[in-house]
Amino acid sequence: RSSDLELQNDASKIGVKKFKSIRTQSTEDIEAHTFTKTMLCMDPAGTDNKVKKTEDFFGFLVGSLATNGFKYIRKGKILKLEFEGYMSTAIKLLIEYKDITHIYIEKNTYSGADVSKLKELIALESKLHYRKFEFINEMQHKNKDEKIDTIVSDINNGRLIFNNKDKDFQDQIMDFAGQNFRDRKSVV
């Protein structure tokens, strides 16, 4: 009986949460700032063969640098989508946030095919085809923990300020305890 309890409480299955706090503000307070740069960042769902594409989660983030030196996460979304939904969500965010000038998409999943498709859709959209976007589509060579470690201090010290309406997105961040300890719905 005690060996069953030991297995249930296996310390190797418990990670240490990296994020201790998240600073939030209302949409109104965030949007009252003057922004100098705005980027749409997208983390496409992975291609894990054990998981159907319809069960994968995509991460979307609209982030801006304000004149006060703080970075604001104006919109953070975690969505269960297929490729078409991924593209339509990107288009909707580009229309909604008229000051987006940069689009970052992790290249590992679609090897740039999603960037090509998004460019096609932008060219066809009357509200977007006249805007200039700089695309950043790079392969990630760091592991998830190394990438996350680069933002831990900024989040824990309140230099990145999140929209208080994006609770699911914030919960994903707060729950992150390392790539070996995340649950299947985590995109962080």
Side-chain angles (χ1 to χ4, degrees):
R1 184 93 186 152
S2 69
S3 63
D4 289 341
L5 282 175
E6 288 172 17
L7 286 175
Q8 290 175 354
N9 295 318
D10 183 355
S12 70
K13 304 294 184 220
I14 300 169
V16 176
K17 302 213 178 190
K18 295 196 178 241
F19 301 101
K20 307 303 180 206
S21 66
I22 286 185
R23 183 174 169 194
T24 63
Q25 288 183 356
S26 69
T27 303
E28 298 75 26
D29 287 343
I30 290 173
E31 294 302 322
H33 294 285
T34 301
F35 300 112
T36 60
K37 182 178 182 180
T38 298
M39 178 182 283
L40 171 60
C41 300
M42 295 180 283
D43 186 2
T47 55
D48 185 349
N49 292 331
K50 298 176 191 169
V51 180
K52 296 178 186 174
K53 290 302 291 174
T54 56
E55 294 176 357
D56 284 347
F57 286 78
F58 288 73
F60 300 86
L61 179 146
V62 176
S64 296
L65 176 63
T67 54
N68 65 3
F70 285 90
K71 295 174 185 169
Y72 292 86
I73 308 307
R74 295 164 69 188
K75 174 67 74 180
K77 294 178 153 224
I78 305 271
L79 301 171
K80 187 190 259 191
L81 301 168
E82 292 182 3
F83 186 82
E84 293 78 20
Y86 162 42
M87 292 289 105
S88 69
T89 300
I91 292 294
K92 288 176 188 170
L93 288 169
L94 291 170
I95 290 170
E96 181 179 354
Y97 293 91
K98 295 171 180 38
D99 57 339
I100 292 173
T101 55
H102 292 70
I103 300 171
Y104 171 86
I105 303 173
E106 186 174 297
K107 191 173 189 174
N108 297 32
T109 304
Y110 294 108
S111 299
D114 48 351
V115 173
S116 297
K117 182 64 175 178
L118 187 57
K119 286 179 178 180
E120 287 176 27
L121 294 171
I122 288 169
L124 295 171
E125 174 55 57
S126 63
K127 295 176 183 172
L128 296 175
H129 70 88
Y130 64 91
R131 287 173 55 192
K132 299 284 184 206
F133 297 104
E134 182 177 327
F135 285 85
I136 304 161
N137 188 224
E138 300 168 343
M139 295 292 279
Q140 288 298 313
H141 300 289
K142 291 181 178 179
N143 70 34
K144 189 72 73 176
D145 288 331
E146 289 171 334
K147 290 188 294 184
I148 295 294
D149 284 345
T150 64
I151 63 168
V152 169
S153 176
D154 282 343
I155 290 178
N156 285 339
N157 291 314
R159 289 186 295 271
L160 268 105
I161 302 167
F162 291 76
N163 188 318
N164 64 8
K165 292 183 181 174
D166 298 329
K167 180 108 174 72
D168 289 344
F169 189 81
Q170 293 164 33
D171 289 347
Q172 287 277 326
I173 292 168
M174 291 301 291
D175 287 342
F176 187 76
Q179 67 183 15
N180 295 327
F181 304 102
R182 63 186 195 146
D183 63 31
R184 291 295 309 154
K185 68 182 180 181
S186 177
V187 297
V188 174

